[in-house]
Amino acid sequence: MDVNLARTFLIVAETGSFVDAARKLNITQSTVSARIKGLEDLLGRPLFTRSKSGVELTGAGELFQKHALALVRVWQQAQLQVSLADQHPEHISVGAPLSLWNGFLLKWASGLRANIPGIALSATAGASSQLSPRLIEGTLDLAVMYRPSLPPGLTIEHLFDEEFVLVSSAKAGGRRTVSDYLLVDWGIDFVQDHAAAFPQHANPAISLDLGPMALDYLLANECSGYFPARMVKKLIARGRVREPKRARKFIYPVYMVYPEARNEEAFEPILRGLRRAAAKFN
């Protein structure tokens, strides 16, 4: 199937309009209509319902959307790898939550490039629910994540346990209120566990899903919140933040996940380096 059909479908679904999709793709509206009709003919199902206010996905369209995303990603990955082939004979695409890139995977990536100079690395940040499908479709070679599901065809290997601790940038002894609490979204598991443990923080004054960047806010404002222990260890030692005594901790295992079918000779040095990088947190 022409990947342009899938790409056009996704833009129409995003904009809810053939006119807006045509403008975004810099093509005519009739071309957009022809592409969608061609796609619907191929699939044998209508993908959109039309109305004066625009278009909406049908049930079949909603089902096709994830496959269209996969088609476009696979094509983009193919283009990237082919374009890099002359300068970089090896390429690896790695995905992980933002929290695991900070202070861990970025350092590993530097070591990887030093030890395997010819390798090209593509990095992406995302939740486990987003990364697992990409491993299956082949647009990711390796993922590092908390509590992953294990679809058939993937291997899972424990690296270390991530400990989330409460830290505060406020002076000890000062009176704090619920409004001084910073809720950092570290993923669905953390959010659910946090809600069960601290119902009083169900509606915090500030909630951030910016991961490690939330630490900048904590350091600039007198408040408290949960962060990976490895991320705040030096700050605690320097007195920039403090860890309240007897505060609850949240612990999540970190795994690397990769395809069972792989080039062992090329892949094993990469995995060994990742194991070494993770060993310091055990």
Side-chain angles (χ1 to χ4, degrees):
M1 188 184 72
D2 185 351
V3 72
N4 283 324
L5 299 184
R7 187 177 288 114
T8 302
F9 165 83
L10 291 171
I11 297 298
V12 173
E14 176 189 333
T15 60
S17 164
F18 281 25
V19 174
D20 292 342
R23 188 179 299 115
K24 196 166 186 177
L25 291 165
N26 197 29
I27 57 179
T28 64
Q29 183 182 344
S30 61
T31 300
V32 171
S33 299
R35 287 181 181 179
I36 297 301
K37 184 180 184 306
L39 185 55
E40 290 176 328
D41 289 344
L42 279 173
L43 296 171
R45 293 286 187 279
L47 301 175
F48 295 98
T49 56
R50 282 79 164 169
S51 68
K52 291 182 179 179
S53 59
V55 296
E56 292 183 357
L57 289 170
T58 62
E62 291 178 354
L63 289 172
F64 179 67
Q65 191 170 26
K66 63 180 180 181
H67 298 293
L69 284 166
L71 285 167
V72 172
R73 283 199 298 254
V74 168
W75 176 244
Q76 290 172 337
Q77 186 75 0
Q79 287 180 306
L80 174 63
Q81 292 196 19
V82 169
S83 68
L84 292 172
D86 290 339
Q87 299 108 330
H88 305 285
E90 295 183 65
H91 176 270
I92 185 169
S93 180
V94 183
L98 195 59
S99 58
L100 290 172
W101 281 110
N102 184 272
F104 171 39
L105 288 176
L106 285 178
K107 291 182 179 178
W108 163 76
S110 296
L112 179 69
R113 289 280 297 139
N115 294 324
I116 312 177
I119 197 169
L121 172 71
S122 298
T124 186
S128 298
S129 59
Q130 299 169 321
L131 300 177
S132 293
R134 293 194 57 185
L135 283 167
I136 296 170
E137 71 191 29
T139 55
L140 280 182
D141 300 306
L142 174 68
V144 181
M145 58 183 97
Y146 306 109
R147 293 180 180 174
S149 59
L150 186 56
L154 297 178
T155 297
I156 181 172
E157 183 178 331
H158 179 259
L159 290 174
F160 64 94
D161 290 333
E162 181 89 288
E163 185 178 64
F164 286 84
V165 298
L166 181 68
V167 293
S168 175
S169 56
K171 294 179 181 178
R175 183 173 179 176
R176 312 309 302 165
T177 67
V178 173
S179 63
D180 299 315
Y181 187 76
L182 169 64
L183 176 59
V184 186
D185 183 349
W186 296 109
I188 186 64
D189 288 332
F190 176 83
V191 170
Q192 290 177 346
D193 292 344
H194 184 277
F198 302 111
Q200 69 272 28
H201 294 312
N203 297 295
I206 182 164
S207 177
L208 301 175
D209 66 354
L210 303 174
M213 289 180 284
L215 188 56
D216 292 334
Y217 183 90
L218 182 91
L219 293 172
N221 300 273
E222 292 193 352
C223 56
S224 58
Y226 275 89
F227 291 85
R230 60 182 171 80
M231 195 180 294
V232 294
K233 183 178 179 180
K234 291 183 179 179
L235 292 172
I236 294 172
R238 295 170 186 164
R240 293 288 308 279
V241 298
R242 59 186 179 83
E243 184 179 357
K245 295 180 179 179
R246 295 184 295 278
R248 175 163 181 169
K249 298 179 180 180
F250 297 92
I251 299 176
Y252 299 97
V254 177
Y255 297 90
M256 61 177 175
V257 187
Y258 47 88
E260 291 177 356
R262 60 191 183 279
N263 183 332
E264 293 276 0
E265 184 179 353
F267 217 71
E268 191 54 36
I270 295 170
L271 298 182
R272 282 200 302 268
L274 190 52
R275 294 183 193 111
R276 285 195 300 269
K280 67 176 69 175
F281 302 121
N282 286 317

